[in-house]
Amino acid sequence: MTKNYKVITLCGSTRFKDEFMRVQKELTLEGNIVISVGLFGHSGDSEVWENMDEGTLTKTKEMLDDMHKRKIDMADEIFVINVGGYIGDSTKSEIAYAISTNKKVNYLEPTKI
């Protein structure tokens, strides 16, 4: 018997690494396939920002942002890690992309959006 597992992509600021890990564990234990970020640029993975000047995007950051949109494509829905209500520009663009592709959007904390 094959079971259909819901696929959920996590979105949010990588400064919330602990919350990403906690939510990934909870959603997995609830029977979901969870897709997360590959690097935590705001929590120590400096490769994201390598050789970055103020106000520019590195090729690595551009690639990771595009890759995350592909992760959203693979998902049934996204789960936004919005600790304290914080949603940065990259996450806002991911939410808009998810909505434009008819994905369900869930949030860690209630939002005014």
Side-chain angles (χ1 to χ4, degrees), residues 9 35-38 60-74 94:
T9 294
I35 302 171
S36 189
V37 297
T60 302
K61 174 75 168 103
E62 286 179 9
M63 177 192 71
L64 293 171
D65 286 351
D66 182 61
M67 201 182 287
H68 211 73
K69 298 265 184 1
R70 302 300 71 80
K71 291 177 181 182
I72 292 169
D73 289 340
M74 291 189 277
E94 292 164 0

Side-chain angles (χ1 to χ4, degrees), residues 5-43:
Y5 297 101
K6 188 169 21 175
V7 178
I8 301 173
T9 294
L10 301 182
C11 298
S13 173
T14 56
R15 72 185 64 178
F16 303 128
K17 183 176 184 177
D18 291 344
E19 288 81 3
F20 264 88
M21 302 309 286
R22 182 179 57 78
V23 169
Q24 179 176 325
K25 182 177 182 178
E26 288 173 3
L27 291 173
T28 299
L29 288 171
E30 290 171 9
N32 301 290
I33 296 170
V34 181
I35 302 171
S36 189
V37 297
L39 295 166
F40 288 94
H42 290 292
S43 296

Side-chain angles (χ1 to χ4, degrees), residues 41-59:
H42 290 292
S43 296
D45 287 329
S46 61
E47 297 88 347
V48 174
W49 314 113
E50 209 165 308
N51 305 317
M52 187 166 168
D53 297 321
E54 194 64 36
T56 64
L57 281 179
T58 63
K59 293 288 183 204

